[in-house]
Amino acid sequence: MAGDNSIHGNRYTPFAELMRLERTGDLTFKSVTKGYGIANSSRSYGGHVYAQAVWAAAQTVNEGLVVHTVTGFFTREGKTNVPFVYKVRRIKDGRRFCTRTVEVVQEPEKGVCFTCTCSFKRDEPDVVNYQETVNLKEKYKLALGDKQPHEWPEAPGVDSPWYWKKSAADDKFNDVFPGLSLRKVDMTPYNATLQPLERRQLQLYSAIGRMPPVGEQANLHACAHLYASDRNSLFIIPNHLDVGDGYTEMASLSHTVVFHVGSQGLDMGSGRWYCQEARMTRATSDRGLHESRIWSDGGGHVASTWQDGLVRIGDGKLHRSLGVLADGRWSKGKL
C-alpha cells in the first residue's frame, strides 16, 4: 500500500492481486492490496477479511489440502486504509484433515477485528454423490428470462432503495467492486406476489483477471467463492420485509460457509460464472439470518452459507452502521 493515498481499493483489481499477502513471520501475514470500501468510504467490505483470512491459513497447510468449511466472527469494523494482519494458529495437522484458527488485527491497541476457524481436507473419490436437482434457469425463468450473466447490472455498492435511486439518477454513482464481476438479478417479477420467507435473490459472479489453474491453487479459487458469499447479504432481510430503507443498524456477526465439492468443483477460471441463490429465514430480536446456496452453471451445488447479522429496524432516518443519512449523504462524527 506504499505510495497509495486513496482510502479504499474500489477499482477492477484482479482477484489474485486482491488476495496477495506479505509473509511477515512463520504464521503471520499482512494484506498488500486495499479492499472494497462500502459506499465509497474507508469502511471495509467484510468478505475481504473473511476470504483473505482463509487464504492466509492456506499458506500454512500441506499441498493437496483444500478448505471445506469456515466459520468467522466479525468483532470490529474493518478499515480499507489500514493493512490487515493475519495471525494463524495450527490446531491440528492430520493426513486427510487439518484445522487452523486465524486472528486478524489492524490497530493492535483496539484488539482483534475478525477471527475464524477453518478446516481443510484432501480430495477423495466420490462413493456417493447425491444432491437436490435444481434448474435455476427454469425455476427463475420469470426473472432471468434469456439474459446472459454479464447482461445484468453490477451489484449496487449498498443494496438499499436510497442507493438504487442515486444510481438510477447517476450511472457513475455505483462503486467499483474489486476482485469479481458480480451481477444482481432483478427478482421483482419472481418475488412480487410472494411472502418475505418465500422470496429469493440471485447474484451471478465470475473472477476478474487470470486465475491460476485450480489444480495448483484450489484454495485461491475457494476464497473467491468465500469473497462473493458476503456481498450485500444482510440487505436482503429489510428488502424482503419491504422496509429496505428502514434499518437503523446493520452488521455481520458470524458467517459460515460449507463447501460440498472437491477442488475441481471450485474452478473460477476461464470466465466461469456461478450463482448465489439467497433468502432470509428469520428476523427477530434485532437480528436476521441470511442463507444461501452457491450453484455452478451446470447445476452443481457448490456450497451452502449461513450468516447471522445485527439488523435493527427503525424509522430509517439514520443508517448508523454505514454512517450515511437516508438521502445518501455522509453523517459526521462517530455514532
Side-chain angles (χ1 to χ4, degrees), residues 37-306:
I38 298 174
N40 220 31
S41 72
S42 63
R43 181 187 173 182
S44 177
Y45 164 57
H48 183 112
V49 68
Y50 188 84
Q52 199 166 45
V54 175
W55 183 230
Q59 308 313 302
T60 72
V61 304
N62 292 331
E63 185 177 351
L65 288 160
V66 181
V67 63
H68 74 93
T69 184
V70 188
T71 295
F73 296 88
F74 299 87
T75 52
R76 293 181 185 276
E77 180 179 307
K79 298 179 179 179
T80 58
N81 54 356
V82 180
F84 289 105
V85 176
Y86 299 92
K87 300 179 179 180
V88 182
R89 182 184 176 196
R90 291 189 175 96
I91 303 301
K92 177 186 176 180
D93 282 303
R95 186 174 62 85
R96 290 185 300 161
F97 290 86
C98 74
T99 307
R100 299 288 186 267
T101 61
V102 187
E103 287 191 348
V104 188
V105 297
Q106 287 189 298
E107 299 162 296
E109 69 277 7
K110 293 185 178 180
V112 172
C113 63
F114 176 79
T115 183
C116 73
T117 299
C118 42
S119 178
F120 299 77
K121 73 178 293 292
R122 294 192 182 279
D123 283 352
E124 298 182 63
D126 285 329
V127 177
V128 175
N129 189 351
Y130 191 77
Q131 68 167 64
E132 179 184 2
T133 301
V134 177
N135 185 328
L136 295 177
K137 291 181 180 179
E138 187 62 33
K139 181 178 180 180
Y140 298 111
K141 186 176 182 179
L142 192 62
L144 288 170
D146 295 322
K147 277 190 177 183
Q148 298 300 307
H150 68 274
E151 294 179 309
W152 291 101
E154 291 183 297
V158 176
D159 200 8
S160 293
W162 70 265
Y163 196 97
W164 307 338
K165 293 174 185 175
K166 285 281 187 178
S167 296
D170 180 3
D171 60 7
K172 296 181 180 179
F173 181 73
N174 195 29
D175 305 319
V176 171
F177 189 61
L180 299 179
S181 176
L182 199 148
R183 310 300 176 119
K184 179 188 175 184
V185 176
D186 180 2
M187 297 297 291
T188 304
Y190 180 86
N191 289 332
T193 61
L194 300 178
Q195 297 300 315
L197 297 180
E198 299 172 328
R199 294 172 180 176
R200 298 293 184 267
Q201 180 60 58
L202 301 184
Q203 292 194 124
L204 307 166
Y205 63 93
S206 65
I208 294 176
R210 180 185 176 277
M211 293 287 284
V214 70
E216 297 176 8
Q217 294 285 4
N219 282 308
L220 184 63
H221 290 251
C223 287
H225 295 289
L226 298 175
Y227 181 73
S229 70
D230 186 43
R231 183 70 164 121
N232 281 337
S233 51
L234 294 179
F235 292 104
I236 287 175
I237 296 166
N239 287 340
H240 284 186
L241 290 171
D242 295 321
V243 289
D245 278 338
Y247 61 90
T248 59
E249 200 166 2
M250 185 183 297
S252 297
L253 298 175
S254 68
H255 188 40
T256 295
V257 176
V258 177
F259 289 107
H260 310 299
V261 295
S263 58
Q264 293 302 315
L266 303 170
D267 192 356
M268 290 287 296
S270 304
R272 189 165 298 173
W273 288 87
Y274 289 81
C275 178
Q276 183 182 24
E277 177 194 28
R279 64 174 183 158
M280 63 154 287
T281 62
R282 190 72 165 98
T284 187
S285 302
D286 289 334
R287 287 167 45 228
L289 186 65
H290 168 279
E291 291 187 3
S292 80
R293 295 186 292 182
I294 293 174
W295 301 92
S296 69
D297 56 6
H301 185 187
V302 176
S304 300
T305 82
W306 297 267

Side-chain angles (χ1 to χ4, degrees), residues 22-37:
E22 175 187 344
R23 195 164 201 149
T24 58
D26 180 39
L27 296 172
T28 308
F29 305 84
K30 184 170 69 173
S31 63
V32 174
T33 305
K34 289 179 179 176
Y36 172 70

